[in-house]
Amino acid sequence: MTLKTEPITVNIGPQHPSTHGVFRLRVAFDGEVIQDVEPVFGYLHRGSEKLAEERTYTQVVTLTDRLDYVAPMTSNQAYVLAVERLMGIEAPERGQYIRVMMAELMRIASHLMMIGFFLQDMGAFGTPLMYTFREREDILDLFEMVCGARITVTYMRVGGVQADLPPEFTPALERFLAKIPGQIDDLEQLLSGNEILIARTKNVGLLSAEAAINGSVTGPALRASGVDWDLRKSDPYEIYDQLEFDVPIGENGDNYDRFVLRLEEMRQSVRIVRQCKEQMPGGPHRLELPMLLRPPAGDAYGRVEAPKGELGFYLVSDGSIAPYRCAIRSPSFINLTVLRDMLIGWKLADMVTIFGSLDVNMGEVDR
Amino acid sequence: MYGEGILKGMAVTLKHLFKKPVTVQYPEERAPMFPRFRGYEFVWYEDRCTGCASCAKYCPLGTIRIETETEPDPNVGDRYGLKVFDIDTGRCMFCGLCVEACPYDALFMGTGFERATYTRPSMVVHIDELRAAKKKPSAYARPHLHGINFEDETSLSSEEAGR
Amino acid sequence: MPVDRLATGCQPLGFWDGMGLWEQWGINFFPRLGDTMCRAMGGATPGGIPDWLIFAILGLAGAFAVVNVAMLGVPYVILLERKLLGRFQHRVGPNRVGFFGLLQPMADGIKLMTKEDITPRVADKLVFSLAPLVFVVPVLLMFAPLPWAPHAVLADLDVGILYIVAVTSAAEIGVFMGGWSSNNKFSLFGAMRVVALVVSYEIPLVLAIVGVVMLTGSLNLAAIVEGQRFVPNLLWQPLGFIVFMIAVSAELNRAPFDLLEADSELVSGFHTEYSGMKWGVIQIGEYAAIIGFSGIIATLFLSGWKGPAPMPGYLWFVLKMGMIISGFIWVRATIPRLRVDQIMNLGWKFLLPLALINIFVTAGEILAYPDGLPVWLIPVNFAFAAIVVAVAARLLGIQGQPRQVVPAPPVFETMASS
Ligand code: SF4
Ligand code: SF4
C-alpha cells in the first residue's frame, strides 16, 4: 500500500523573523525538503521611481536613502553619478574621494549587517549580530559626524558632497581604522572555523557561475561563484582606478564562500578607506551649482558597485527641474531571480541561510 | 575540525564576558551628539527670516507651511510679516534641505532628539513655539557654527547665528 | 545507607554520617526539617496515627518544598541567562527593575499573567490547554530523586536515574501535543522535530549513564554520589561526560539543538501560538528542565553535594548546577544551530558509537581492576576520549549534505514556467 502524501504549503513571511523585511515566500515542503518556492514581494512598495518624477533632482537624493536603508551612501552615489552624467559634469576630486570613502565605509557597514544576520539566521543567538552592530555603530557615528544623520544620510549632492569633512572626522576615522581589522579578525575567529557553521554552509546553496550570470546576479553573490566582475575594477567610476585593492573571488558559490568573501571584502574596503584618507586632495568638495538643476534633455545611466551588487539609476530628462523618468536597477531585486532555483531541494533550515547569504534588502527590492 | 573551531569561538565570547559593555545607559548617560547632528526643534530666527519660502519650496515633502502678510512699517514702508510658519515634524524626515536652501541663515536644524508626543497634531511646530524655543542650532549646512557647545544652556542670538 | 527510612523526607534520627563539618554542625536544613517534622509527629512510628497519613503529609510537604525551590530557581536561571548572554554579547542585559535587575523576573511574571491568553479559533482547545501542563509536570517530577545534600532527598528511589530518564522523555509528549493542537504549520514542524530528536538522543543519553552506573553499581542517585569517593566520576568517565552533555543539550532543546523552536526558521516552533501564562508555563518547564538536568549532571559526574572544601552540601550542589547552567549559556551564546539531518547524523553516527565504546572501555577497566580504578587511568582516559572524539568527528565528516533531488513537479503555477 502506498500512502498518499501531498506537499505542505507554508507561508514564510511577510512577518517572519528571518525574511529581512517584509518578504513572503510560499514554500511547498515535502517533509522538511523544499519542493517549490514562490517569492511574493511588494509589501514595501513605496513607488520611489514614480515619486522621483515629482521631485527636483536634489530632492530625489532623499528618496535614494530609503532604497537600501542598510547602505544609503552607495544609493546616493549611484544617483548623483547618473545626474552628473546627464549633465556632463564631474565632481571635484576631493568630492570624489570623500564619496568613495563614504561608499566603502558603507560597504563595511552593510557587510557587517549581512554577516550578523546570516549567522543569526543560522541560530547563533544574537552574539555575532551584537558584535557586528557594535562595529557598525562606529561607522554610523562617522556618518553622523559628516552629515548629521546615521541612516538617512542625504549626503551626496550632484557635483560633490553636501559638506566637507569636519575637523573631528580624521582622528575619529583613524581610531576606527586602527580598531576595525582586529574586530573583523575576531568575527572571523568567532565562527568561520566553527564546525557547525561549516557543516551548515559548505556546499549548501550552490550557485554555479553560469546560473549566476544567466540570472543577472551581481555583487558578492556573483563573485562568490567565481566570476570576476566588480564594477570598481571592470568599469571604474570616480577615483577607483587610482586606488589599489583586490577583488576577492570565491570558488564554489556556496553559502560559505558568500560569507567568507564578505569578510574579505571588508578588509579590502578598509584598505581603500585608508588610501582615500592618505591621498585625500585639497580643494573644493563640491561644484557651485544652483539648488534647482535643469539638466539638458537626454538620458543617462549611472551605476556603482553597491554592497549588494550593481546598483544603477537610469534617468531621462526632458530639460525640466525633475526627472522625466527614473528607473532603478536594484541588485537585491535582480539577485532574487535565482532564489527559487537555489532553494529547491534544500531543507527548511537551509532556506533562511541561503536567503540570508544573498543579502537582500527589501527596501531595495520593492522600491 | 575536531571541535577546534568551536573552541576558538568560545574563547572569543569568553573574552567579551570580561570586557566592559559598550551599552550607553541612555537616560543617565548620553552618547555625544556631533555638531552637524540633524535633530529636532528647528531653530528659526524671525528677524532674519524674510518670508521668502525657499525652505518650503525645497522641502521634498511640503512639510513647511508659510503664510505672510504685508505689515506697514513706518520706517521702511511695507514689509513682509510672517503669520504662519508651521513645520509638521511628524512628516519631516530631517533631510536638511530646507536649511540648506535658506539664503538668510534664518532656519537651522536643531540638536535635540527627545520630543515624543502622544498625538500627531502636537508634532506640528507652530510659529509661536519656534519663536519661544531655546535656540541651539546645529552646524548642519552652517559651517561657521562648527565650534558650538551643546551643553550650554543659553540660546544663540540671531547675530551670533548668522554669517 | 540506612534502609529503615520511613518515608519521603523523614529520616531516622541521628543519621549524620560525617560528610564534612558543616553538616555535623547542623547547618543542613533539609534533613533538619524532616527531622523536626518527624519529631513533631511523635517519632518515626507514632502511635495512633497511621503510617500512610504521615507518609502522605510529609510527602506533600516535601514535594511542595522541592517544587517551590525549582520554581523559584526558574526566574533566576532566566535572569542569569539574560545577564550572561548580555555580557557575552558585550552589552549589559536587564538592569532596570530592581537592583542589578534582580526583580526583572517578577516583572516578567506579572506581565505574563496580565497578558491576554489567546487560544486560536481553529486549535484543538482541550489539548492546546493541556499541553503546557503535560510539558511541565514531568519536568517537576524529575526533582524528586535529586539529592540536594546528604539525605536531603525527597524520594530516595533505588531506580532513581531510570526514573528520571523515564519521566523526562514524557515531557516531549507535551511539546508534541502543543505543536499538533495549535493548528499552525510552524508548530507542527517543531513538534515533528521534537519526536525525531527525542527518539535519537534518548539512546546515547541512557547509554552514557550506563558507564557511571557500572562504576557505582547502583541506580540510586544518592548512592552514586556516595560512590564518588575521592574524585568525581568526570575523571573516570570523560567520554561518557561528553556524550551525556551533548545528549542533554539535545534533550533540553538548548543550542545547538534548539531546532524545535528555531526562531529564525520556525518563528518559535511548537509554542508559536501560545501566549500569556500558558507560554509562561512552557518557559518554566524549559528552564526547570535545565535546572533539573544540570542537577543530574552534577550528581552523576561531578560528585553532587560533595566538595573539596567544607561547605554545606546543598551549596556545593547549587554551585555545580550554576556552573553547568552557565556552560549551557556560554554554548548558546557562541555556536549556531545544526540542521535536522545533521543532528540526526550526530546522534546516530557520533554519539551512539561513542557511548557504546565508553561502556565497553569502562567494563574492561572495571574487570581489570575490581577493587577500584588506579589513578594513572585518569590521564589515560582523557587521552583516549580525545582520540576517540577526534576520530569519530573525522569519520562523521563535517561537509554539508548534498542537495536533495526533488523529482516532484512544481507546485505553484505562477512561477512554474520561469
Ligand atoms: S528637514 Fe527636510 S523634510 Fe524636514 S522640513 Fe526640512 S526639507 Fe522638509
Ligand atoms: S528660506 Fe529662510 S528666510 Fe526664507 S522663509 Fe525659509 S526660513 Fe525664512
Side-chain angles (χ1 to χ4, degrees):
Chain A
M1 191 190 105
T2 50
L3 280 173
K4 178 180 173 292
T5 59
E6 56 181 68
I8 171 172
T9 311
V10 182
N11 258 316
I12 312 275
Q15 281 100 15
H16 184 275
S18 53
T19 49
H20 301 224
V22 276
F23 182 50
R24 178 170 153 220
L25 280 164
R26 285 180 67 206
V27 189
F29 285 106
D30 172 11
E32 286 251 346
V33 180
I34 297 168
Q35 195 177 339
D36 199 5
V37 179
E38 183 189 14
V40 184
F41 31 72
Y43 293 94
L44 202 57
H45 180 67
R46 293 145 302 173
S48 298
E49 293 181 356
K50 189 70 193 167
L51 283 173
E53 293 168 19
E54 317 256 301
R55 302 278 181 282
T56 67
Y57 282 94
T58 314
Q59 287 173 350
V60 174
V61 177
T62 61
L63 292 175
T64 63
D65 285 343
R66 285 150 181 85
L67 288 179
D68 181 355
Y69 41 77
V70 177
M73 282 288 187
T74 38
S75 309
N76 278 356
Q77 195 188 15
Y79 170 74
V80 295
L81 274 177
V83 183
E84 279 168 12
R85 256 176 224 171
L86 197 57
M87 298 176 69
I89 55 172
E90 213 173 64
E93 201 169 28
R94 185 177 171 84
Q96 294 193 10
Y97 266 97
I98 296 178
R99 275 192 207 167
V100 167
M101 196 151 113
M102 293 301 146
E104 292 304 321
L105 284 174
M106 199 76 253
R107 189 183 315 280
I108 301 175
S110 170
H111 283 356
L112 279 173
M113 189 108 160
M114 175 269 165
I115 287 168
F117 276 111
F118 177 65
L119 298 176
Q120 169 91 350
D121 286 351
M122 209 169 284
F125 186 79
T127 311
L129 192 68
M130 290 295 158
Y131 293 175
T132 54
F133 264 60
R134 179 191 64 198
E135 279 117 47
R136 179 171 173 264
E137 198 68 14
D138 293 336
I139 298 175
L140 297 188
D141 272 351
L142 289 176
F143 289 164
E144 188 185 328
M145 223 176 260
V146 169
C147 65
R150 304 163 73 81
I151 307 285
T152 52
V153 288
T154 323
Y155 181 51
M156 300 190 187
R157 294 286 189 274
V158 179
V161 291
Q162 184 264 331
D164 206 348
L165 300 176
E168 73 264 24
F169 180 78
T170 320
L173 181 70
E174 263 157 22
R175 251 175 286 135
F176 170 74
L177 285 180
K179 199 161 58 169
I180 187 79
Q183 288 177 331
I184 297 175
D185 290 346
D186 247 15
L187 212 55
E188 184 161 26
Q189 204 196 346
L190 175 68
L191 278 176
S192 38
N194 191 308
E195 285 74 10
I196 296 178
L197 180 118
I198 291 175
R200 285 291 306 274
T201 53
K202 268 261 159 90
N203 294 329
V204 172
L206 285 172
L207 177 66
S208 68
E210 200 188 344
I213 293 172
N214 288 345
S216 301
V217 175
T218 46
L222 176 70
R223 289 194 286 278
S225 301
V227 183
D228 187 0
W229 178 257
D230 187 325
L231 288 180
R232 293 175 293 173
K233 283 271 191 218
S234 36
D235 177 19
Y237 50 95
E238 305 216 284
I239 47 138
Y240 275 111
D241 45 358
Q242 300 166 33
L243 299 171
E244 219 178 276
F245 61 97
D246 302 326
V247 178
I249 305 288
E251 284 167 14
N252 304 324
D254 53 14
N255 273 355
Y256 187 74
D257 279 0
R258 283 190 283 273
F259 163 64
V260 175
L261 184 114
R262 285 188 168 93
L263 279 174
E264 190 51 40
E265 269 195 11
M266 271 157 46
R267 295 208 175 94
Q268 296 302 328
S269 291
V270 174
R271 243 175 102 191
I272 298 178
V273 174
R274 205 168 267 145
Q275 287 174 43
C276 284
K277 183 181 71 85
E278 277 151 17
Q279 302 174 10
M280 181 73 69
H285 60 276
R286 183 178 183 179
L287 293 178
E288 288 292 331
L289 291 174
M291 274 292 272
L292 271 187
L293 299 169
R294 287 175 199 274
D299 60 346
Y301 179 64
R303 58 178 182 177
V304 299
E305 182 72 30
K308 283 153 185 114
E310 177 187 331
L311 172 64
F313 279 80
Y314 178 66
L315 292 173
V316 183
S317 160
D318 56 358
S320 70
I321 56 169
Y324 176 75
R325 174 83 174 94
C326 167
I328 303 164
R329 183 216 188 271
S330 68
S332 302
F333 178 59
I334 291 171
N335 287 0
L336 278 182
T337 321
V338 287
L339 186 66
R340 180 171 176 272
D341 289 337
M342 278 169 88
L343 286 184
I344 288 179
W346 295 107
K347 299 215 162 50
L348 168 60
D350 294 323
M351 186 193 78
V352 289
T353 54
I354 293 173
F355 182 64
S357 77
L358 276 181
D359 192 14
V360 167
N361 183 295
M362 292 326 281
E364 210 176 39
V365 172
D366 296 335
R367 299 200 283 284
Chain B
M1 237 183 238
Y2 313 137
E4 170 199 344
I6 292 179
L7 293 182
K8 261 198 220 157
M10 306 268 284
V12 173
T13 37
L14 191 66
K15 197 171 77 191
H16 280 89
L17 179 64
F18 301 108
K19 281 190 187 165
K20 198 176 169 300
V22 286
T23 316
V24 178
Q25 296 285 334
Y26 162 58
E28 293 97 39
E29 294 170 49
R30 276 144 189 278
M33 289 289 127
F34 297 106
R36 278 186 196 168
F37 177 59
R38 302 201 299 249
Y40 224 98
E41 297 248 19
F42 287 85
V43 174
W44 178 66
Y45 293 101
E46 192 177 12
D47 50 344
R48 299 189 73 91
C49 179
T50 59
C52 68
S54 287
C55 48
K57 212 155 57 192
Y58 282 105
C59 174
L61 302 177
T63 302
I64 305 178
R65 195 164 141 252
I66 296 178
E67 277 175 30
T68 50
E69 58 183 3
T70 45
E71 278 175 358
D73 188 322
N75 304 330
V76 268
D78 286 357
R79 61 169 280 225
Y80 272 127
L82 280 140
K83 217 166 66 174
V84 177
F85 193 99
D86 290 354
I87 305 179
D88 182 356
T89 49
R91 294 183 60 192
C92 173
M93 56 186 175
F94 299 92
C95 62
L97 286 181
C98 50
V99 175
E100 223 179 314
C102 175
Y104 303 105
D105 284 3
L107 190 63
F108 297 79
M109 298 306 289
T111 49
F113 53 90
E114 297 159 312
R115 238 192 82 136
T117 59
Y118 284 105
T119 55
R120 272 165 194 278
S122 56
M123 302 206 80
V124 181
V125 183
H126 292 290
I127 185 166
D128 299 324
E129 243 174 291
L130 281 172
R131 276 186 193 129
K134 274 234 169 64
K135 308 261 195 275
K136 285 202 264 181
S138 130
Y140 177 78
R142 304 276 186 267
H144 60 283
L145 283 185
H146 198 273
I148 190 165
N149 181 9
F150 285 116
E151 307 307 320
D152 206 346
E153 277 304 302
T154 54
S155 52
L156 219 64
S157 73
S158 79
E159 288 78 40
E160 287 169 303
R163 258 177 282 212
Chain C
M1 297 297 294
V3 282
D4 57 339
R5 265 176 256 117
L6 173 64
T8 3
C10 182
Q11 305 290 343
L13 302 181
F15 54 80
W16 324 116
D17 35 13
M19 295 316 303
L21 288 170
W22 289 73
E23 273 87 25
Q24 285 182 6
W25 294 341
I27 301 184
N28 200 338
F29 292 112
F30 274 144
R32 253 298 145 88
L33 192 68
D35 254 6
T36 327
M37 287 170 79
C38 273
R39 240 184 247 132
M41 302 301 257
T45 47
I49 307 170
D51 283 359
W52 61 266
L53 191 61
I54 301 176
F55 186 91
I57 291 173
L58 289 182
L60 279 179
F64 184 78
V66 167
V67 164
N68 270 302
V69 166
M71 290 292 218
L72 275 180
V74 166
Y76 285 94
V77 169
I78 296 179
L79 184 66
L80 176 77
E81 167 149 43
R82 291 176 62 183
K83 276 273 181 198
L84 269 184
L85 273 182
R87 294 307 301 269
F88 278 129
Q89 296 170 359
H90 218 185
R91 53 191 177 86
V92 282
N95 66 346
R96 291 278 141 181
V97 192
F99 173 70
F100 204 59
L102 282 181
L103 293 181
Q104 183 69 42
M106 308 301 147
D108 288 346
I110 292 168
K111 182 200 80 175
L112 282 180
M113 274 181 232
T114 50
K115 255 181 131 169
E116 188 185 353
D117 183 13
I118 300 166
T119 309
R121 192 158 36 83
V122 286
D124 186 337
K125 298 213 171 42
L126 180 68
V127 182
F128 186 80
S129 309
L130 268 182
L133 284 181
V134 177
F135 180 59
V136 82
V137 167
V139 170
L140 293 178
L141 287 180
M142 184 166 83
F143 285 88
L146 272 190
W148 292 79
H151 305 291
V153 185
L154 182 59
D156 202 355
L157 291 177
D158 282 336
V159 287
I161 190 69
L162 214 56
Y163 162 83
I164 282 176
V165 169
V167 292
T168 48
S169 18
E172 314 299 344
I173 296 174
V175 175
F176 189 74
M177 280 165 68
W180 179 264
S181 63
S182 303
N183 209 340
N184 176 321
K185 286 166 186 168
F186 290 121
S187 307
L188 187 63
F189 268 110
M192 289 307 189
R193 287 174 170 195
V194 163
V195 176
L197 193 70
V198 168
V199 167
S200 356
Y201 277 75
E202 203 75 3
I203 299 165
L205 185 86
V206 178
L207 290 183
I209 296 172
V210 171
V212 174
V213 172
M214 283 196 297
L215 270 183
T216 339
S218 169
L219 288 169
N220 185 321
L221 285 172
I224 289 176
V225 178
E226 299 282 353
Q228 307 179 42
R229 272 200 195 86
F230 307 107
V231 286
N233 273 341
L234 167 63
L235 298 185
W236 305 117
Q237 291 277 314
L239 194 57
F241 181 71
I242 294 170
V243 173
F244 192 70
M245 281 301 273
I246 298 179
V248 164
S249 311
E251 185 81 14
L252 290 175
N253 314 316
R254 297 286 299 177
F257 306 100
D258 53 346
L259 47 80
L260 71 161
E261 13 195 293
D263 56 330
S264 59
E265 298 153 24
L266 295 183
V267 189
S268 69
F270 74 96
H271 59 63
T272 306
E273 293 290 355
Y274 282 93
S275 62
M277 209 47 214
K278 277 189 197 137
W279 183 85
V281 168
I282 290 176
Q283 211 67 7
I284 287 174
E286 272 176 18
Y287 282 88
I290 292 171
I291 299 178
F293 263 110
S294 47
I296 290 163
I297 294 169
T299 308
L300 290 184
F301 290 97
L302 300 177
S303 70
W305 37 259
K306 285 187 189 173
M311 205 162 61
Y314 53 87
L315 276 189
W316 270 118
F317 192 63
V318 170
L319 194 71
K320 284 171 185 171
M321 273 163 64
M323 276 167 56
I324 295 164
I325 293 173
S326 309
F328 279 133
I329 297 169
W330 185 16
V331 168
R332 183 178 180 204
T334 312
I335 55 184
R337 184 185 307 123
L338 280 162
R339 209 171 52 197
V340 184
D341 53 326
Q342 290 164 346
I343 289 185
M344 293 304 130
N345 277 351
L346 189 76
W348 291 104
K349 297 186 189 164
F350 181 80
L351 290 185
L352 190 59
L354 285 194
L356 288 174
I357 291 174
N358 183 47
I359 291 177
F360 284 121
V361 171
T362 315
E365 285 173 1
I366 292 173
L367 270 186
Y369 302 97
D371 321 318
L373 306 181
V375 178
W376 58 263
L377 261 182
I378 294 173
V380 172
N381 273 347
F382 270 89
F384 179 72
I387 293 168
V388 170
V389 168
V391 170
R394 184 81 187 179
L395 289 180
L396 179 68
I398 50 171
Q399 295 295 306
Q401 290 280 107
R403 178 201 286 233
Q404 207 141 330
V405 180
V406 184
V411 177
F412 304 119
E413 281 169 14
T414 39
M415 289 292 287
S417 53
S418 71

